[in-house]
Amino acid sequence: MDNNKKLFLRWLNVELSGVCNLECVSCTFKSGIRTSIMTDNTLDKVFREINTVDVKEVPWFSGGEIVTINNKRLREICDQIVSHRNQFSSEWLSQVHTNATIMNEEKADILVNSGAFSWICISADGPNKEFFEANRIRHNKTPFPWEKLLDNIELLLKANSLRKNPIKISFNSMSGGKDYPGADPNFINLLEKYKFANAGYKGSYAPHQWIFGRPEGKPHRCHWQNRQIVIMSNGKYTTCCADLNGDNVFGDIDKMSLVEAMLLPFDKRYSGIGCRTCVQNKPSRNSLVETWAPPPRME
């Protein structure tokens, strides 16, 4: 092996926020159990470690929600990401997931135009009002309004449409596609209105596993442990982005380099817990979500 060749890592997830503004039925994340926002000191260490490996993609999320970060701090973090990428001519893909439930024109401008992200994935978990509001529950136990989500999505798409070179904006966990009954026409029309500012709505061949649990008959097969490492907002390493609450924490960026984390034996990284805590092995707690399934795709 070439000693000068860097180790390859498909995904290095970096959690910028350790809190979330929702208590989704499909999610086991416990908001506020760790550092609310990653500190400059920890972020500097993340940048240092990124340079030591060959990373293909850095998704800036894990259990927490980036839009909970106030606009001033969010702009500072984005400026740091841009500065690092420019300084080291970084080639890794920078992307972020958001539930898009806290949005205004300034926040949309930061996410789209700061230069920190080349891809924004909006995690909506539902193709229509009934499905979405059954899952997306706020801390006051009321559903987040579907209509407000569409307004927030439009803020992002509008900002992106004004760019000479729009970034990629896609949608995650929107089970089905345009040829599946149930998708809200207002959502589809919104994408058509800004069709050059989004990657479209391709849906998925099966319900999103975080909501539905492992599909019946599908094997327990996971490759995340060989392709991903997560650095949580408190600087702790964990195995993958499905470990929302840090059950599999196996190290700290203050004491362990990313290379050392990658070279740890499997049993050292999973500490006897393994995938038993993974949300993809747990059934949903919502009856509507448990029983809903898409019909066969129309030809």
Side-chain angles (χ1 to χ4, degrees):
M1 178 179 177
D2 184 353
N3 291 329
N4 295 319
K5 187 176 181 179
K6 294 181 178 180
L7 292 176
F8 176 76
L9 183 62
R10 176 65 176 83
W11 291 285
L12 175 64
N13 282 55
V14 181
E15 181 187 55
L16 296 175
S17 170
V19 299
C20 186
N21 59 310
L22 300 176
E23 295 180 4
C24 298
V25 172
S26 63
C27 183
T28 60
F29 179 59
K30 299 174 183 177
S31 183
I33 62 174
R34 53 183 175 266
T35 306
S36 57
I37 302 174
M38 182 171 282
T39 64
D40 285 336
N41 182 52
T42 300
L43 190 56
D44 286 343
K45 292 174 182 176
V46 169
F47 288 136
R48 179 194 67 201
E49 295 304 323
I50 286 177
N51 290 332
T52 65
V53 300
D54 179 13
V55 180
K56 184 173 183 180
E57 187 172 332
V58 179
W60 298 94
F61 77 98
S62 187
E65 171 53 52
I66 191 172
V67 296
T68 61
I69 302 174
N70 69 69
N71 290 348
K72 180 177 182 296
R73 177 59 180 151
L74 181 58
R75 192 176 292 279
E76 291 172 350
I77 290 173
C78 289
D79 287 345
Q80 289 174 272
I81 294 173
V82 172
S83 177
H84 173 85
R85 289 175 62 81
N86 290 340
Q87 180 181 354
F88 294 96
S89 301
S90 302
E91 297 182 356
W92 41 265
L93 175 66
S94 181
Q95 67 117 314
V96 68
H97 275 57
T98 175
N99 61 35
T101 56
I102 302 175
M103 195 62 59
N104 54 38
E105 289 186 356
E106 182 181 3
K107 197 177 292 289
D109 176 67
I110 296 170
L111 292 175
V112 172
N113 294 316
S114 66
F117 312 116
S118 53
W119 179 7
I120 299 172
C121 184
I122 300 172
S123 181
D125 285 340
N128 54 48
K129 179 179 176 69
E130 181 184 23
F131 191 92
F132 174 83
E133 293 187 0
N135 182 48
R136 289 293 200 221
I137 307 299
R138 295 177 286 193
H139 291 306
N140 64 5
K141 308 306 179 184
T142 62
F144 188 87
W146 169 254
E147 295 80 9
K148 178 59 177 172
L149 174 72
L150 295 185
D151 289 342
N152 292 347
I153 290 174
E154 182 162 20
L155 285 174
L156 288 166
L157 296 183
K158 183 177 181 180
N160 200 29
S161 70
L162 298 175
R163 290 175 54 89
K164 183 178 181 180
N165 297 305
I167 65 173
K168 180 179 179 179
I169 295 182
S170 63
F171 298 87
N172 186 40
S173 312
M174 301 284 283
S175 299
K178 286 192 294 185
D179 51 354
Y180 282 121
D184 183 357
N186 292 323
F187 171 66
I188 301 301
N189 291 339
L190 183 61
L191 300 190
E192 183 63 24
K193 180 179 179 180
Y194 299 98
K195 60 183 177 181
F196 298 111
N198 70 86
Y201 170 38
K202 299 179 181 178
S204 57
Y205 73 92
H208 183 41
Q209 290 185 8
W210 279 46
I211 295 179
F212 291 90
R214 181 175 57 87
E216 184 177 355
K218 295 289 184 180
H220 290 268
R221 183 179 301 147
C222 179
H223 302 288
W224 290 107
Q225 69 270 22
N226 298 319
R227 300 179 179 180
Q228 181 185 53
I229 283 181
V230 175
I231 301 175
M232 298 189 298
S233 61
N234 56 7
K236 305 290 186 182
Y237 290 109
T238 189
T239 47
C240 78
C241 61
D243 184 20
L244 302 177
N245 297 308
D247 295 319
N248 277 354
V249 163
F250 60 84
D252 191 309
I253 198 171
D254 285 332
K255 302 175 181 178
M256 180 185 294
S257 71
L258 181 55
V259 170
E260 290 172 329
M262 292 175 63
L263 292 176
L264 277 182
F266 182 90
D267 60 334
K268 297 294 184 183
R269 280 193 284 138
Y270 279 76
S271 306
I273 297 175
C275 297
R276 289 174 296 173
T277 59
C278 182
V279 293
Q280 296 198 47
N281 287 332
K282 294 183 178 181
S284 166
R285 292 168 288 177
N286 183 281
S287 58
L288 170 67
V289 175
E290 285 172 348
T291 56
W292 188 91
R297 181 180 293 276
M298 297 178 180
E299 298 299 334

